[in-house]
Amino acid sequence: EEGAPGRRGERGDEVPAERGPGAAFHMFVLMEDLLDKLKLLSYEEEALRRHNMRPLSRHYFALPTNPGEQFFMFCTLAAWLISKAGHPFEQPQEYDDPNAVISNVLSELRSF
């Protein structure tokens, strides 16, 4: 029966290959867009130099290379962006509990 639920190809989440050949590269495009936006906000001067960190590569978050380092960079950028938006937010430390850090970030974002 045409239009029956569960048929192949009706829902995009059932068969990932049917999303198109470019779907595998979508994360790289998103990362490049993110990097462009961070550069517009002067993240290198305001966030990275303060913490003595290197600039992000074009695919830093798109490829899982060092999850601990990537998580800390994410938390550093999140804290900086929250502070830049006018909400005072304490910079997380590298060895803080990841669950507590994420909980604090999410809690602060909900308060927006």
Side-chain angles (χ1 to χ4, degrees):
E1 172 179 287
E2 194 170 18
R7 286 181 41 118
R8 231 182 120 132
E10 283 187 13
R11 291 179 36 193
D13 59 344
E14 287 182 24
V15 184
E18 292 184 18
R19 291 185 301 174
F25 301 102
H26 185 66
M27 192 57 66
F28 295 97
V29 173
L30 288 176
M31 181 60 210
E32 288 184 21
D33 288 345
L34 170 67
L35 191 57
D36 288 342
K37 291 173 184 176
L38 287 171
K39 285 180 180 181
L40 288 173
L41 292 171
S42 303
Y43 90 105
E44 292 168 322
E45 293 82 22
E46 294 182 25
L48 298 184
R49 286 197 185 144
R50 183 179 313 156
H51 301 291
N52 212 15
M53 301 171 109
R54 295 178 311 187
L56 301 176
S57 69
R58 292 182 322 143
H59 304 127
Y60 185 78
F61 290 117
L63 299 170
T65 54
N66 183 343
E69 178 185 299
Q70 289 172 313
F71 179 75
F72 181 65
M73 178 63 79
F74 168 78
C75 293
T76 299
L77 291 174
W80 172 71
L81 287 168
I82 291 169
S83 296
K84 192 155 181 75
H87 290 240
F89 192 81
E90 186 177 328
Q91 171 65 39
Q93 300 303 310
E94 190 168 1
Y95 298 105
D96 286 350
D97 176 33
N99 292 320
V101 172
I102 289 298
S103 177
N104 291 342
V105 168
L106 291 174
S107 174
E108 192 64 38
L109 291 176
R110 284 185 194 108
S111 74
F112 277 71

